[in-house]
Amino acid sequence: MKTREMNRDWIATAATLNSALPYLQRYDGAIVVIKLGGHAMGSDEAMESFARDVVLMRQVGVNPVIVHGGGPMINAMLSQLNIQSEFVNGKRVTDRATVEVVEMVLSGLVNKRIVQAINRQGGTAVGLSGKDANLIICDQADPSLGFVGAPSEMNPKILQDLFAHDVIPVIAPLGAGKNGETFNINGDTAAGAIASALKADRLLLLTDVSGVKNAGGEVVTELKAGQIREMTMDGTIAGGMIPKTETALDALHSGVRAVVILDGRAPNAVLLELFTEHGAGSLIRPD
């Protein structure tokens, strides 16, 4: 015969699960696009934790879509192959040799690492790029930058088909040109375009900061699109946060219900954002 006393940790765990019920019901059947990058991809432990969170989301009825970056891995491979990069106004020129390396690293090394991590946790993940099934058709973003693409046409049916079979799509940010080119796409931009095409319930942009901060340096947990514009104009939002908030505004304008900018380094950040009252980052809604 075994005996045990109820301890406070067990009771707290049960209370957490109980309080999550309204949010589990709220997101049943919802599409959530997650941009994965930064420290969330930096270690095997972080990847395993993220993969477990994604599998749990799928288990409770959410349709997650993972869009990933891979800048550090691309830089490492270019250095290893002794391919020199040219920069214009601080941005890398993606020539033909570079885009071949980008595709190799993103669609191969990085994409399959994420797919394997999810599958090891009991999910069913499939790796794609924007070139598959013409998911993302691109125009050239800037001729001076070479093969850098701006999404111009989206064909998300392949993703809907995967949802119907409980498959988790993991997407490398590459697109097809109208003349057969391969284009590299900014990861946030690709995630925003996919979320917009799916009219996703949430777009989660995982970053290396805790969210959008006000002039006092405090994270603002909920904002409207108009407030984002004001904070950008007065310089409160600056630097690397600007392209993320621009992606958020574009997604909201295209029908995404809300965008969250959150710290991907925090354990279980995605679950905290979706399934708790307090969330985990800065929630941005339409005006």
Side-chain angles (χ1 to χ4, degrees), residues 2 30 39 64 66 83 129 135 149 159 167 184 219 271 277:
K2 293 183 178 180
H39 284 77
I66 315 305
I83 296 175
S129 80
L135 173 59
L159 304 183
V167 176
N184 183 24
V219 174
L271 299 185
E277 181 179 2

Side-chain angles (χ1 to χ4, degrees), residues 140-199:
Q140 189 176 39
D142 181 343
S144 69
L145 296 177
F147 293 95
V148 175
S152 60
E153 182 182 335
M154 304 295 297
N155 299 288
K157 183 180 183 301
I158 182 66
L159 304 183
Q160 299 284 5
D161 291 343
L162 293 174
F163 297 155
H165 292 88
D166 295 333
V167 176
I168 300 167
V170 179
I171 303 170
L174 299 160
K178 294 173 183 175
N179 297 310
E181 312 97 323
T182 296
F183 284 110
N184 183 24
I185 309 169
N186 173 273
D188 289 342
T189 300
I194 290 167
S196 298
L198 291 168
K199 298 292 187 287

Side-chain angles (χ1 to χ4, degrees), residues 70 113 117 127 172:
R113 180 184 173 214

Side-chain angles (χ1 to χ4, degrees), residues 32-245:
V32 176
V33 177
I34 304 169
K35 163 57 190 347
L36 175 64
H39 284 77
M41 297 171 59
S43 70
D44 291 340
E45 293 79 10
M47 183 65 74
E48 181 179 352
S49 176
F50 174 78
R52 192 174 182 86
D53 290 352
V54 169
V55 173
L56 190 151
M57 290 169 61
R58 179 54 260 171
Q59 188 68 39
V60 298
V62 178
N63 293 307
V65 179
I66 315 305
V67 182
H68 63 83
M73 297 79 163
I74 293 169
N75 291 339
M77 184 60 72
L78 288 170
S79 177
Q80 185 176 334
L81 296 174
N82 199 28
I83 296 175
Q84 302 298 317
S85 296
E86 179 185 351
F87 291 85
V88 173
N89 297 324
K91 296 181 179 180
R92 186 197 306 275
V93 176
T94 304
D95 59 17
R96 193 170 297 278
T98 301
V99 80
E100 289 178 356
V101 173
V102 168
E103 182 166 24
M104 176 177 66
V105 172
L106 291 182
S107 286
L109 178 66
V110 178
N111 189 275
K112 299 315 173 192
R113 180 184 173 214
I114 299 168
V115 167
Q116 282 187 301
I118 293 171
N119 291 344
R120 279 200 305 270
Q121 295 301 322
T124 302
V126 168
L128 306 167
S129 80
K131 293 170 65 176
D132 290 298
N134 286 326
L135 173 59
I136 307 177
I137 304 298
C138 287
D139 292 331
Q140 189 176 39
D142 181 343
S144 69
L145 296 177
F147 293 95
V148 175
S152 60
E153 182 182 335
M154 304 295 297
N155 299 288
K157 183 180 183 301
I158 182 66
L159 304 183
Q160 299 284 5
D161 291 343
L162 293 174
F163 297 155
H165 292 88
D166 295 333
V167 176
I168 300 167
V170 179
I171 303 170
L174 299 160
K178 294 173 183 175
N179 297 310
E181 312 97 323
T182 296
F183 284 110
N184 183 24
I185 309 169
N186 173 273
D188 289 342
T189 300
I194 290 167
S196 298
L198 291 168
K199 298 292 187 287
D201 193 272
R202 287 289 186 275
L203 168 60
L204 307 183
L205 298 175
L206 273 58
T207 72
D208 293 340
V209 296
S210 49
V212 179
K213 297 181 180 180
N214 62 20
E218 301 169 318
V219 174
V220 184
T221 57
E222 190 164 343
L223 305 103
K224 293 291 184 70
Q227 293 173 293
I228 292 291
R229 298 186 191 97
E230 291 172 5
M231 293 170 71
T232 303
M233 289 182 65
D234 66 22
T236 303
I237 293 174
M241 185 57 69
I242 291 177
K244 293 187 182 299
T245 52

